[in-house]
Amino acid sequence: MTALATPSALASRPARSPHLLRWLIRLHRPALLSWIAFVLVVGGLLLWVGGPLTDASAEAWKQYRACGADGCAYDAGAIGRYKDWYNYTTITVVAAPFLVAAWSGAALVSRELESGTAQLAWTQAVSPARWLAAKLAVPAVLIAVGSGLLAGLHHWAWSTGQGRIDTVKGWHDLGTYAANGTATAAMALAGLAGGVLWGLHKRNSLGALVGSLASTGFLWSVVAIATPHLWPTVTTVSSLKHSVPAGSGIIVDQGLVTSTGRHLSGHLCGSDTNEQCRIRYEKLDAVGYYNDYHPQSHYWPLQLTATAIILAVTAALTVAAFRLLKRHTGSAPARKAAAV
């Protein structure tokens, strides 16, 4: 029986990067092929949604708008197919970071620590830090390219329906907003880093899987809640003769404006042409509506700010993973990692 050397015992050996890269690709080939297939299939569906399905739905809406009082025939099925497949692909793109987190937590690190594969790699002229760097860098490139491509295709598929399909989702729709921008690709990288950190912490596949999914969901939720507050809002004031305040987009706050200029959040009733609403407004000394919101021109400032925050969190998770690995492996001479 020959004891496997530990990381500290091999720190002076030169690392062979091409060998490490080949080993990583061979070890995670099923995941690599699955990710490529996922990107190709979802990308193809998005091309279908933004092309033939959008054209068919737009034509059906054109027929519908041409209908007179007596009615006419139009392709309702085309409208429904576009709506359904747009929703399916949107959910899939938004779910990509969770798929990455699940794989990263369950297989990328924790499984190798459980089986001893990681310790074996550390005996092959690869230090723990270099091993972890490769485990993060190689998937990060593929994940960034794949998720970025899907977000770009989704944005294109959504934009082709603008002005042509009456029921096309608004830019501020929660799913559309998330799937259309760079924050989704950044979240996928955060899922990768979070999964690795949980894998190093739990060192068992199930625990790391649950932890990585939970942390990704938590981060996504925090970003969604914080997004409306990441950029200064636009405020519009409008007449009480309208049923709702003017201005559409991501609404942060809206309510009533008093004669002194004070803003009363909420208290919306409807147009003051309604007697009950008029009496209510008079009691509150309301003279108009106000609406604090983000118009469509704020889309990219919000997206890029959220992306920067997510990438900062990803960097922090990565640093934490390296520190945790160092704490686990240490620099002392070593103990037996395995035997063959």
Side-chain angles (χ1 to χ4, degrees), residues 58-305:
E59 180 60 28
W61 276 109
K62 184 178 179 180
Q63 295 168 356
Y64 177 80
R65 289 190 290 268
C67 290
D70 298 332
C72 65
Y74 66 95
D75 190 355
I79 295 175
R81 280 191 297 274
Y82 167 83
K83 181 179 179 181
D84 290 343
W85 281 100
Y86 177 85
N87 289 334
Y88 298 152
T89 51
T90 298
I91 292 171
T92 304
V93 173
V94 173
F98 292 95
L99 297 178
V100 171
W103 168 74
S104 177
L108 185 59
V109 168
S110 60
R111 185 174 298 172
E112 293 188 38
L113 292 172
E114 281 184 290
S115 64
T117 307
Q119 291 85 341
L120 176 62
W122 300 341
T123 69
Q124 305 302 310
V126 178
S127 68
R130 194 175 186 86
W131 168 82
L132 183 58
K135 300 289 278 185
L136 281 167
V138 176
V141 172
L142 297 174
I143 290 167
V145 172
S147 56
L149 177 62
L150 292 181
L153 286 173
H154 188 280
H155 192 281
W156 169 80
W158 167 79
S159 64
T160 58
Q162 295 298 303
R164 302 171 63 198
I165 298 175
D166 290 9
T167 54
V168 69
K169 296 286 188 180
W171 71 272
H172 50 83
D173 171 74
L174 185 60
T176 297
Y177 175 88
N180 270 358
T182 54
T184 296
M187 189 63 69
L189 293 175
L192 171 67
V196 166
L197 181 60
W198 276 101
L200 291 170
H201 173 64
K202 299 297 291 186
R203 295 199 171 204
N204 71 82
S205 298
L206 181 59
L209 169 65
V210 174
S212 59
L213 287 175
S215 61
T216 301
F218 176 75
L219 177 59
W220 192 276
S221 300
V222 170
V223 171
I225 294 171
T227 290
H229 308 285
L230 298 179
W231 200 257
T233 59
V234 170
T235 300
T236 60
V237 176
S238 54
S239 171
L240 293 175
K241 295 188 181 298
H242 303 294
S243 58
V244 294
S248 63
I250 298 178
I251 296 173
V252 177
D253 187 28
Q254 56 182 204
L256 302 175
V257 180
T258 68
S259 61
T260 62
R262 181 186 174 195
H263 286 190
L264 300 176
S265 182
H267 300 289
L268 300 181
C269 174
S271 173
D272 64 0
T273 56
N274 179 288
E275 184 176 357
Q276 291 182 341
C277 291
R278 180 178 56 79
I279 294 172
R280 181 177 179 179
Y281 291 154
E282 287 177 351
K283 290 181 178 179
L284 294 170
D285 189 30
V287 296
Y289 297 117
Y290 77 88
N291 188 13
D292 297 335
Y293 70 103
H294 294 286
Q296 189 169 358
S297 60
H298 287 192
Y299 176 78
W300 282 114
L302 289 170
Q303 272 282 345
L304 294 177
T305 303

